[in-house]
Amino acid sequence: MENQVSVETAAMSLSDKVMNVFASPSELFDSVAKSEKQASNYVIPLLLSIIVGVVFTFVVFSQPAIQNQMQEQQMKGFKKQITERKITQEQMEKAMEYSKPGSPIFLIFGAGGVIVVNILMLYLFALGFLLIGKFGFKSTASYGKHVEVVGLGMYVMVVSSLITMAMVVAMGSLHASPSLALFVSNFDPMNTMHKVLGAVNILTFWYLAVVAIGMSKLWNVSTAKAIAGVGGAWVVWTAITTQLSFGM
């Protein structure tokens, strides 16, 4: 039976894999977990995610409204640094010149950041889930298999990026997304609570659900347990990225 599944997986076309990520992730990841390693499972979605991320950067930061919002945020941050005597007025003006939203330098660095972030997300997320599976559920699945599952999950991130880009352009807000941040009239990226509300995003939960289904197959546990493991990792990640102290 196992050999039969492996043959079926090897014969699965790229279009079938992409379709199953959205339509039948359980079936897809069950096959992936039992098959030989296939680099296309993570290379193709990684490249696609990078391409869409670069498009997102150029489209979003070509919008005048978004450029103004970004400049206001930069100004607030620089003024705070001046008040704390971390930089001088002259240094702020020079930094503003080189980091002007929509400028060629800004877009080049933005595109470069997209490439680095996507690669780090693929391999670091896979490493994190590997450790959770190994120490939390005694999983023996290889690191490569975790990379494949996280990679296939990036197809969801691609769709999420396109949806978010459409919302940002349509609403003229840098922080537009299908999250609880929509209920915040004046979103402040320096406000911890606002950042938490922004993290509670339907698209993020969609991605986490797909990855959790994949991890349940690698870890050989129920989907509920995998969701608990993946969800716990998300809570820790959100706490770090939003700089929550939990009262400490």
Side-chain angles (χ1 to χ4, degrees):
M1 182 66 178
E2 184 174 337
N3 290 334
Q4 181 181 353
V5 173
S6 297
V7 171
E8 290 175 354
T9 303
M12 186 178 293
S13 67
L14 174 61
S15 59
D16 287 338
K17 290 179 181 178
V18 175
M19 181 180 68
N20 284 333
V21 167
F22 302 103
S24 184
S26 180
E27 179 183 348
L28 170 64
F29 291 125
D30 185 52
S31 296
V32 170
K34 297 174 181 178
S35 68
E36 295 296 324
K37 180 180 178 181
Q38 296 182 52
S40 61
N41 284 339
Y42 59 89
V43 172
I44 294 176
L46 172 62
L47 292 176
L48 187 58
S49 183
I50 289 174
I51 291 171
V52 171
V54 171
V55 171
F56 182 102
T57 300
F58 277 79
V59 170
V60 167
F61 290 104
S62 66
Q63 308 296 313
I66 302 301
Q67 292 174 356
N68 292 335
Q69 291 174 37
M70 192 69 183
Q71 284 183 310
E72 289 178 7
Q73 292 180 17
Q74 289 178 336
M75 184 63 72
K76 287 181 180 179
F78 285 134
K79 285 184 175 180
K80 182 179 179 181
Q81 289 182 307
I82 290 176
T83 302
E84 297 173 350
R85 297 184 177 181
K86 293 181 179 179
I87 63 173
T88 64
Q89 179 71 27
E90 184 180 352
Q91 289 174 322
M92 182 196 78
E93 293 175 355
K94 194 170 184 179
M96 287 290 289
E97 180 182 351
Y98 283 105
S99 61
K100 183 179 180 181
S103 68
I105 294 178
F106 181 92
L107 294 176
I108 290 173
F109 276 98
V114 167
I115 295 173
V116 173
V117 168
N118 274 275
I119 293 174
L120 288 178
M121 284 179 62
L122 173 63
Y123 291 104
L124 291 182
F125 281 14
L127 177 60
F129 292 135
L130 171 71
L131 296 176
I132 293 173
K134 181 177 181 179
F135 296 106
F137 302 105
K138 308 301 181 183
S139 170
T140 58
S142 68
Y143 175 62
K145 280 298 167 185
H146 285 78
V147 173
E148 286 186 67
V149 170
V150 174
L152 287 167
M154 294 182 85
Y155 284 119
V156 174
M157 293 176 59
V158 168
V159 175
S160 297
S161 294
L162 293 173
I163 293 174
T164 302
M165 180 174 68
M167 291 184 66
V168 169
V169 173
M171 299 177 68
S173 172
L174 182 60
H175 307 291
S177 65
S179 68
L180 293 182
L182 285 176
F183 299 99
V184 179
S185 56
N186 295 304
F187 188 91
D188 181 3
M190 302 301 290
N191 185 302
T192 298
M193 183 53 65
H194 288 186
K195 287 189 287 185
V196 171
L197 293 175
V200 183
N201 188 313
I202 294 175
L203 298 176
T204 299
F205 292 153
W206 179 21
Y207 167 75
L208 293 174
V210 169
V211 171
I213 292 173
M215 294 304 158
S216 71
K217 304 302 180 182
L218 294 187
W219 300 343
N220 195 29
V221 298
S222 66
T223 302
K225 288 184 178 180
I227 289 175
V230 172
W234 173 79
V235 170
V236 173
W237 175 258
T238 302
I240 294 173
T241 54
T242 56
Q243 299 179 358
L244 288 178
S245 62
F246 294 106
M248 294 178 62

